[in-house]
Amino acid sequence: MSALHLKSTVRLNNGVEIPRVGLGVYQARRGDETRQAVLHALQAGYRHVDTARIYGNERDVGEALRESGLPRDEVFITTKLWNQDQGHDSTLRACERSLRELGLEYVDLYLIHWPVPSLRLDSWRAMEKLLADGKCRAIGVSNFLERHLDELMAHSKVVPAINQVELSPFLAQETLRAYCQRHGIVVEAYSPLTRGQRLDDPRLGAVAKRHGKTAAQVLIRWCLQRDLVVLPKSVHPTRIRENAAVFDFDLSPEDLNILDGLDEELHTSWDPSDVP
């Protein structure tokens, strides 16, 4: 049986440790819904929360962290630079604004949310400054494909610590995952539950039934066994705890083979394939 647990971490390329499972708060409504979801997650043992400026709920994440009473250095907080804030100086201002909203002196991870053409390199130079200035402990990107990463690394000093992309057995992105592994970039999976669109797939259901688990738990476990950091999203306490109950079983080689065969390039939200 795997030795992984809810507080298990992976080391980023700059030595920072990131918990393997985090709570995503995309589309969680600002105010009490987000605050309570984060608080429930922290009480359940999560130590990683992923938000973004465009989500509009950074303030609620910060309030939940303070209400939890947990020491700041025990919780890994990610936020992201939105497209309209890209560019060198505006990136610096956007980070300061996010820190004010969160009520924090630093974030553990700051990501470029989207590979905006003509602006992403200037944004990354600002991210490098924010890292050097201690405003974030690690910097990375989201929704970047190989060509975007090639360009970035050819014109920068710091290799991204993370590439956060949509990932599930139904969107496996094997080539991108292999690229990131070669370059020491940890891959983080958002929308690992396909936003509910494939939870009733009978092949997935058969694997789940064999283990006495839900389809969602199997999808999260697949991410873990494929060496991904995974960000299941829920605002419901029962499901938040259910999504964390994935450490008492292992998917067999046969299970993994079945799940790996589900890939259909299913994008349930953003698809950066056409971004130059």
Side-chain angles (χ1 to χ4, degrees), residues 20 167-174 177 189 192 204 215-228 230 246 249 251 255-263:
R20 294 284 305 275
L167 261 168
S168 75
F170 299 92
L171 180 63
Q173 307 223 52
E174 288 186 21
R177 284 159 47 202
L204 174 60
Q217 289 170 323
V218 168
L219 292 174
I220 295 166
R221 185 71 204 187
W222 177 86
C223 289
L224 293 172
Q225 290 188 225
R226 288 303 183 223
D227 296 323
L228 305 171
V230 60
V246 294
F249 75 107
L251 297 171
D255 295 329
L256 292 170
N257 186 54
I258 291 169
L259 295 169
D260 290 342
L262 300 179
D263 190 12

Side-chain angles (χ1 to χ4, degrees), residues 198-215 218 251-252 254-255 258-259 262:
R198 293 294 184 274
L199 292 181
D200 59 353
D201 184 284
R203 297 160 295 178
L204 174 60
V207 174
K209 184 177 180 180
R210 190 152 53 242
H211 291 279
K213 292 291 182 177
T214 66
V218 168
L251 297 171
S252 68
E254 178 188 3
D255 295 329
I258 291 169
L259 295 169
L262 300 179

Side-chain angles (χ1 to χ4, degrees), residues 10-82:
V10 63
R11 179 166 292 186
L12 302 178
N13 57 22
N14 67 347
V16 169
E17 300 278 344
I18 182 171
R20 294 284 305 275
V21 176
L23 177 75
V25 295
Y26 175 55
Q27 292 189 327
R29 291 191 294 271
R30 69 182 66 190
D32 197 53
E33 181 173 272
T34 295
R35 186 181 63 80
Q36 287 290 347
V38 174
L39 192 58
H40 282 302
L42 295 176
Q43 291 169 343
Y46 288 72
R47 291 298 180 266
H48 177 185
V49 181
D50 181 277
T51 184
R53 198 278 278 181
I54 194 62
Y55 300 172
N57 53 24
E58 290 172 315
R59 180 173 299 181
D60 310 307
V61 170
E63 288 178 357
L65 174 59
R66 287 183 290 278
E67 187 175 342
S68 75
L70 291 167
R72 169 67 186 93
D73 61 4
E74 287 189 14
V75 182
F76 193 100
I77 302 292
T78 298
T79 195
K80 309 179 193 75
L81 173 72
W82 184 236

Side-chain angles (χ1 to χ4, degrees), residues 85 88-98 100 110 130:
D85 298 322
H88 184 275
D89 292 351
S90 53
T91 294
L92 299 178
R93 292 192 296 268
C95 183
E96 291 292 351
R97 184 166 58 246
S98 285
R100 287 196 302 272
Y110 197 42
L130 291 166

Side-chain angles (χ1 to χ4, degrees), residues 58-162:
E58 290 172 315
R59 180 173 299 181
D60 310 307
V61 170
E63 288 178 357
L65 174 59
R66 287 183 290 278
E67 187 175 342
S68 75
L70 291 167
R72 169 67 186 93
D73 61 4
E74 287 189 14
V75 182
F76 193 100
I77 302 292
T78 298
T79 195
K80 309 179 193 75
L81 173 72
W82 184 236
N83 302 354
Q84 294 173 345
D85 298 322
Q86 287 207 36
H88 184 275
D89 292 351
S90 53
T91 294
L92 299 178
R93 292 192 296 268
C95 183
E96 291 292 351
R97 184 166 58 246
S98 285
L99 291 174
R100 287 196 302 272
E101 286 292 296
L102 287 160
L104 300 177
E105 295 182 359
Y106 67 91
V107 290
D108 297 279
L109 179 64
Y110 197 42
L111 302 178
I112 295 181
H113 211 153
W114 188 258
V116 175
S118 78
L119 291 176
R120 56 188 180 239
L121 292 181
D122 285 340
S123 300
W124 190 252
R125 285 193 301 109
M127 302 276 279
E128 291 179 328
K129 175 173 172 51
L130 291 166
L131 179 66
D133 290 348
K135 300 296 184 181
C136 40
R137 298 174 63 224
I139 55 176
V141 295
S142 183
N143 298 299
F144 274 51
L145 302 179
E146 293 97 315
R147 62 180 177 273
H148 308 132
L149 291 165
D150 278 338
E151 177 199 57
L152 187 151
M153 290 189 290
H155 296 88
S156 62
K157 301 175 183 177
V158 178
V159 174
I162 288 273

Side-chain angles (χ1 to χ4, degrees), residues 169-190:
F170 299 92
L171 180 63
Q173 307 223 52
E174 288 186 21
T175 302
L176 179 59
R177 284 159 47 202
Y179 174 101
C180 289
Q181 184 177 31
R182 289 196 303 274
H183 290 278
I185 301 169
V186 169
V187 178
E188 197 170 26
Y190 74 75

